[in-house]
Amino acid sequence: MVDDLAKELYEAGKITKLHDECSLFQKLTELDKEFPGAAVLLFKKGILPKAFRDLWVNQRMLNVIEEIIGPDIAGHPVWNLRPKIPKNDMLIVPWHQDSAYFSRDSYDHMVPTAWIPLLDTNEFNGGMQVVKGGHCLGKVAKHTCCSGKHWYVTLEEEEMEKTLGRNMKEDIVNTPVPYGGFLLFHNLTPHRSLSNMSNDVRWSMDLRWCSPHQAWGFHNIAEGILFRTAENGNIEPDWKKFLSVNRKEIWQKRHYKEVAIALE
């Protein structure tokens, strides 16, 4: 993926070299130095290689999810591969609940998420924090949008204290995750990722699952993909159909004018 992006930028005259001497954890940083925004471009491409698809349907992962939502399991239409290059404010994800990105018809059911880093993570290289007990009241708090240098929604700490009953001086928990592990939470868990102050790109994935009998909750942009049923067990996912939908392109066509007007 990074090699393909480098070739695209090089052929377009945006960079002067391919940086093939760099490793997976360095190359995107060098591309971004020459062409600021390269890391965002890669994130927005929405590429899901086969190895990551296989991880999504890993039998042990599905067994864990079955204990949470039952034997009928689908992949949620919201998933991401996230490259967080060092010291880049645009890639810092602020406090939020995942439900803030979903439509309201999903507020009545659980959407588990596995955040999977591709290297050891901690509070210094873009690791995760969660707010202890932030899900307990079953509420989606008020979020604001697009403040600062990023495009993410934001859940202010004052709002979490008021609506979710949290003490933000005591309830923030650092969650270091080693390579090979993952952090499991759900759509009402307040969480954020921190700035990457290391010298390596912090690669991570967030994969989600849900019941196929519940609303997908993605604003009618895309549907999920069936992985397992109580009747038939594991089934062959229809990846071709699932990946034929360009989520970001549909959202932009549908909502670009609305957002532009709101920001005027």
Side-chain angles (χ1 to χ4, degrees), residues 56-71 73 209 228 234:
W56 205 353
V57 296
N58 178 276
Q59 298 310 298
R60 289 183 293 176
M61 295 287 279
L62 293 183
N63 291 343
V64 171
I65 299 303
E66 182 170 336
E67 292 295 319
I68 299 172
I69 65 173
I73 303 172
W209 300 264
R228 176 182 285 184
N234 301 319

Side-chain angles (χ1 to χ4, degrees), residues 96-159:
H96 68 283
Q97 298 166 291
D98 282 351
S99 282
Y101 288 99
F102 304 157
S103 48
R104 292 186 178 183
D105 56 1
S106 70
Y107 285 8
D108 62 351
H109 57 275
M110 186 180 294
V111 181
T113 297
W115 183 78
I116 310 169
L118 305 185
L119 73 171
D120 294 342
T121 57
N122 52 51
E123 63 268 35
F124 303 109
N125 70 342
M128 292 276 277
Q129 291 181 325
V130 300
V131 177
K132 180 175 62 178
H135 64 290
C136 289
L137 296 181
K139 294 181 178 180
V140 180
K142 179 181 179 181
H143 291 64
T144 56
C145 181
C146 310
S147 61
K149 298 181 179 180
H150 57 77
W151 61 88
Y152 300 108
V153 300
T154 303
L155 175 54
E156 300 293 346
E157 293 191 358
E158 295 81 0
E159 174 68 13

Side-chain angles (χ1 to χ4, degrees), residues 245-261:
V245 178
N246 188 320
R247 304 166 299 156
K248 295 177 173 62
E249 183 177 285
I250 293 174
W251 189 94
Q252 288 173 339
K253 288 180 178 179
R254 186 178 298 175
H255 298 292
Y256 175 79
K257 290 183 180 179
E258 298 174 14
V259 173
I261 292 172

Side-chain angles (χ1 to χ4, degrees), residues 29 51 70 85 88 100-101 105 116 126 144 166 176 186 190 193 210 219 227 244 249 258:
T29 301
I85 61 175
N88 187 306
Y101 288 99
D105 56 1
I116 310 169
T144 56
R166 295 298 90 202
H186 64 69
S193 69
C210 58
H219 307 280
F227 292 155
S244 69
E249 183 177 285
E258 298 174 14

Side-chain angles (χ1 to χ4, degrees), residues 5-65:
L5 177 63
K7 290 177 182 177
E8 289 179 24
L9 294 176
Y10 183 78
E11 291 172 359
K14 303 299 183 181
I15 58 176
T16 59
K17 57 183 296 189
L18 294 174
H19 299 284
D20 285 338
E21 74 283 1
C22 297
S23 73
L24 173 65
F25 298 101
Q26 303 290 334
K27 187 169 185 175
L28 188 58
T29 301
E30 297 304 315
L31 297 179
D32 206 85
K33 287 178 181 178
E34 279 206 74
F35 185 71
V40 176
L41 282 177
L42 186 62
F43 170 69
K44 291 290 187 179
K45 281 180 175 291
I47 300 170
L48 187 65
K50 183 180 184 302
F52 297 153
R53 301 198 296 266
D54 291 344
L55 180 59
W56 205 353
V57 296
N58 178 276
Q59 298 310 298
R60 289 183 293 176
M61 295 287 279
L62 293 183
N63 291 343
V64 171
I65 299 303

